[in-house]
Amino acid sequence: MPRPSGEHQPSKSQGTLTRVFVGDMQRFNMVDIGPTTTAKQVLAAVEEQGSLKGWVGTGGWMVWEVAQDFGMERPIRSFEQLADVQASWNKDKMVNMFVIKLTPLAPILSRSNMPSSSPMFSGYVEWEMKRGKWVKRYLRLREHSLFLCKRDNGKDEVFLCSLSNFDAYNVTRLTKAPKPFVFAVKSTDNLSFFENTSDYLHVFACNPRDGDKWVEKILLARSYVLHQERTILFNKSAGGNTAGGSGLSRANTRAGNAGTPQRTGPPPLLTAPGRDDVFLPGSLLRDS
């Protein structure tokens, strides 16, 4: 019986031999991923095996997290540890995977391009307030957090999430969105931490030009907060798993019903069963 695409195998070291796909879903390399293995180290290992030769594209190589259970993907920064990414996956469904792709985001998200301050951005988007129901909202990025309000005057502004524990994703599987470009902000924690599953994932739609800007700004804001709060990731001599000592606060979440958020601060998190029916099956990978 063939193994699932993302299945892991024990290695002789303390790590796990993991399939890392290159360019598409047709080829992969087995890479030993340990508790502190970074995306940069995975790229170096695959390059040493000669698998990055002969590809045509723009930008540079990055490891991508393909969150197939939610139909979305994101680039993983070179300093991020892949074990931390895997910790957010549903272990009962081995459908998520790592894919190495050429992307214009590589130089933008490089360590040398780390922003000196948290990026700010704002504009109108379509927000999926509950599944299949979209409303126009003014979205604001500031202080590495996202806020929503009905109008740009900010009078009814409410807190949505903090990028300490959320990141930007390209949505690759969605139907009936009101705008052509769809992106999401999803928690980097496991879904089991959330009492209300609508707090775990926030989906937006807009035109492609604005969408590219939103994704880039949110990714950079997340890079900034990682650099500020998880300096151990930037210490070349760091050893051991950082999961237990990251200094990160738990993700902020929305409370209340599925309508407009009704608060300005986060409630405590409780445990609840997971949800895996967010999107319909379909193709995942697309060029960045």
Side-chain angles (χ1 to χ4, degrees):
M1 179 181 296
R3 294 179 180 273
S5 59
E7 185 168 341
H8 313 303
Q9 304 172 30
S11 68
K12 295 181 180 179
S13 68
Q14 64 175 347
T16 302
L17 288 175
T18 303
R19 290 187 179 190
V20 177
F21 291 84
V22 181
D24 52 38
M25 304 305 298
Q26 304 303 315
R27 62 204 78 188
F28 63 87
N29 291 56
M30 298 301 295
V31 181
D32 191 357
I33 297 179
T36 61
T37 302
T38 64
K40 181 178 180 179
Q41 292 171 326
V42 169
L43 285 173
V46 174
E47 184 177 21
E48 185 177 351
Q49 297 173 22
S51 298
L52 302 185
K53 296 179 180 179
W55 292 90
V56 177
T58 59
W61 291 105
M62 291 189 75
V63 180
W64 286 68
E65 174 196 4
V66 177
Q68 187 165 249
D69 47 359
F70 289 98
M72 56 187 61
E73 61 187 18
R74 74 168 179 96
I76 302 174
R77 300 158 189 82
S78 63
F79 51 83
E80 290 187 72
Q81 296 172 342
L82 300 194
D84 290 343
V85 178
Q86 290 174 319
S88 70
W89 294 355
N90 183 351
K91 298 300 188 296
D92 296 330
K93 301 182 67 175
M94 300 299 292
V95 295
N96 295 346
M97 65 201 72
F98 297 120
V99 180
I100 297 175
K101 298 196 296 179
L102 285 167
T103 172
L105 289 170
I108 296 173
L109 296 178
S110 66
R111 290 180 61 169
S112 61
N113 197 43
M114 186 67 61
S116 58
S117 60
S118 186
M120 299 176 64
F121 197 61
S122 61
Y124 281 100
V125 297
E126 297 290 331
W127 172 53
E128 192 178 31
M129 60 182 278
K130 62 181 180 179
R131 190 174 182 183
K133 183 174 177 56
W134 299 81
V135 293
K136 187 176 181 179
R137 290 291 183 267
Y138 193 77
L139 182 64
R140 192 187 303 273
L141 166 65
R142 74 169 192 273
E143 301 168 355
H144 43 269
S145 296
L146 290 172
F147 301 83
L148 275 179
C149 51
K150 292 182 179 179
R151 299 177 181 84
D152 57 6
N153 58 20
K155 290 184 178 180
D156 60 344
E157 184 179 83
V158 291
F159 174 88
L160 189 66
C161 66
S162 168
L163 298 180
S164 288
N165 298 82
F166 282 74
D167 210 342
Y169 285 75
N170 289 328
V171 174
T172 57
R173 189 172 71 228
L174 187 72
T175 58
K176 297 182 179 179
K179 298 288 184 179
F181 190 100
V182 184
F183 68 99
V185 179
K186 186 177 77 65
S187 174
T188 55
D189 288 318
N190 192 281
L191 180 60
S192 62
F193 286 112
F194 290 77
E195 177 186 21
N196 189 344
T197 55
S198 67
D199 295 334
Y200 181 76
L201 174 67
H202 311 290
V203 183
F204 308 93
C206 58
N207 64 62
R209 183 177 179 180
D210 289 341
D212 286 335
K213 291 180 180 179
W214 270 116
V215 171
E216 178 181 326
K217 294 294 185 181
I218 294 173
L219 288 170
L220 283 172
R222 167 72 171 166
S223 293
Y224 175 83
V225 75
L226 283 174
H227 185 250
Q228 295 297 312
E229 298 186 1
R230 303 192 68 175
T231 53
I232 192 169
L233 293 177
F234 298 85
N235 184 354
K236 294 182 179 180
S237 63
N241 196 342
T242 64
S246 66
L248 281 177
S249 59
R250 180 57 62 195
N252 297 317
T253 66
R254 291 187 292 110
N257 56 35
T260 302
Q262 298 296 317
R263 63 176 185 81
T264 57
L269 290 177
L270 301 175
T271 302
R275 184 182 71 179
D276 57 13
D277 61 344
V278 177
F279 299 117
L280 297 175
S283 176
L284 286 174
L285 296 177
R286 71 177 182 187
D287 294 333
S288 301

